[in-house]
Amino acid sequence: MSSCPACLVGLLLICLSIDYINARPNFVIMLMDDMGWGDLGVYGNPEKETPNLDAMAAEGMLLPNFYSANPLCSPSRASLLSGRLPIRNGFYSNNAHARNAYTPQDIAGGIPDAEILFPELLQSNGYRSKIIGKWHLGQQPQYHPLKHGFDEWFGAPNCHFGPYDDKKTPNIPVYRDADMVGRYYEDFMITSDGESNLTQIYIQEALTFIQKEAASNQPFLLYWAVDATHGPVYASPAFMGTSNRGRYGDAVRELDYGAGAILKQLQTLGIDNNTLVIFSSDNGAATYAKTGGGSNGPFLCGKETTFEGGMREPTIAWWPGKIGAGQVSHQLGSLMDLYTTILELAGVQRPTDRIIDGISLTNTLFNNQETDREIFYYRGDELMAVRQGLYKAHLWTWTNSIEEFNEGTDFCPGQEIANVTTHDQVNNTMQPLLFHLGTDPGEKYLIHPMSHEYRTIIPRIQAAIMKHKQTLVRGTPQLNYCDSSLMNWAPTGCEKLGRCLTAPPSNRQLCVWPH
């Protein structure tokens, strides 16, 4: 061995560096699609068909006051990865007031390069990352995951809508990394009765990735963005017809099985005590599907709305040896908090040139301490409501138009509340509707404006709103324009398969957002 003191110091530094890399935690985010707060046994579903997730909660921490940043998939996912509200990161539309927008396959926009996603920061600090499932932040190549911090991808840029005819509308491509490897309903089948092996494929992709990264002692991020509970709902043959909740329940049971398989893999490989796992959903259950969708438990309405059922998510945190078993935290949490929390745990500095809306949850996860903060409920370009502590004030109310409602689209089936679940966009900013979510989680009983309680709480919430708006710099809206020529006609890699389609001429126009 060399007796050179400088060499010994250098060798020591190298060893310490290697130990630091290996000691950095891994991260697994399991993000469900349209799964409701009331879909898990641990959250009170009477069928008790989620034993693995219920066990995950028993071994970790339940977060019953956890929210998405939007009641719709694309903006919610953009906020998770950027740590910023959609109104800041540009994942909204101002084509019409308070309209939800997302990324159908004719969208012209996508996640802006100016947004710094946390996978990018992890990647530049030695992490390997993979997304499995739905991306939904833009289908054009410049918006794809591998351009925004992910090393690997198996999944699709859009929802699994279809089947299409490949003439007026192309079927959605499935990618492995940068190249298309097939299309839904052609190479990756979903039958008319909802049978598909996609979830099993996604499970195996996760297990293989974890095993590979564990073998290389590489810190990793796995973003398991599975979508079986988004309509059209699907499940594999082994799970079809096994639930008391119909096809949707079959899908939930299979996803529960998948979550259990991932946790078991971490344990088998001996890396569970160095891996933070978060389970959540991108928005509330699609109550307009009625018995064909999920459950939001005691909460009002569902997906597309800024009532509790639209944005409160079933969330569990698991990290054996770090997060104490059997805990419940009433911390007001957000998917955006994963940004700040993960970067802190990885020892990576977050950007300082922009407002990050996510807060660190480390004190919550490790010490069960709570941090005061507000939850801002946006719908499109409008701040609809604010939660502060146990109180929630609605500045605007709206479900959907009476025309849509009369045509059969009901975002609040069986839950009509006078002057609350309105079919007109009602501006309540001069006298917000106030609810106490502790005694009234269903937002049914208004606190009277002349009461002492109202006159005490509303000024505090209005002060928080004023502070929020003073620092608000709206991002350039990314979801305003659509163009059928930008659909998935010729995805990267289609030429290798001989499966490219001819795109129509460009017809760029404002997107129409009915909700």
Side-chain angles (χ1 to χ4, degrees), residues 406-459:
N406 289 335
E407 291 171 359
T409 301
D410 186 356
F411 290 161
C412 310
Q415 293 183 300
E416 182 177 347
I417 299 174
N419 303 317
V420 177
T421 55
T422 58
H423 291 293
D424 293 319
Q425 294 185 16
V426 179
N427 186 346
N428 303 294
T429 54
M430 298 303 293
Q431 187 171 286
L433 307 185
L434 185 64
F435 296 95
H436 188 287
L437 296 178
T439 57
D440 179 23
E443 299 170 277
K444 296 177 181 178
Y445 308 110
L446 285 165
I447 296 173
H448 197 281
M450 296 305 294
S451 67
H452 174 74
E453 185 177 18
Y454 186 97
R455 287 184 288 176
T456 300
I457 298 301
I458 285 296

Side-chain angles (χ1 to χ4, degrees), residues 8 30 149 208 377 431 485:
L8 291 173
M30 303 179 184
T208 300
Y377 304 69
Q431 187 171 286
S485 72

Side-chain angles (χ1 to χ4, degrees), residues 25-39:
N26 309 305
F27 304 103
V28 176
I29 299 174
M30 303 179 184
L31 189 72
M32 303 299 104
D33 202 329
D34 291 7
M35 186 176 283
W37 192 94
D39 278 330

Side-chain angles (χ1 to χ4, degrees), residues 147-222:
K147 301 286 188 180
H148 294 275
F150 287 94
D151 299 290
E152 300 180 29
W153 179 27
F154 183 84
N158 308 95
C159 278
H160 56 274
F161 293 141
Y164 299 117
D165 61 5
D166 282 341
K167 295 177 181 178
K168 291 183 178 180
T169 305
N171 278 308
I172 305 297
V174 175
Y175 282 79
R176 181 169 294 283
D177 301 331
D179 287 344
M180 161 187 163
V181 291
R183 294 181 187 268
Y184 287 141
Y185 301 97
E186 297 174 15
D187 311 279
F188 298 90
M189 286 301 301
I190 304 171
T191 67
S192 58
D193 64 353
E195 182 179 313
S196 176
N197 286 321
L198 276 166
T199 297
Q200 291 300 312
I201 296 172
Y202 292 152
I203 293 169
Q204 190 55 53
E205 287 284 329
L207 300 182
T208 300
F209 175 75
I210 291 170
Q211 184 172 31
K212 179 181 68 172
E213 300 310 320
S216 67
N217 289 321
Q218 185 89 8
F220 66 83
L221 162 69
L222 171 62

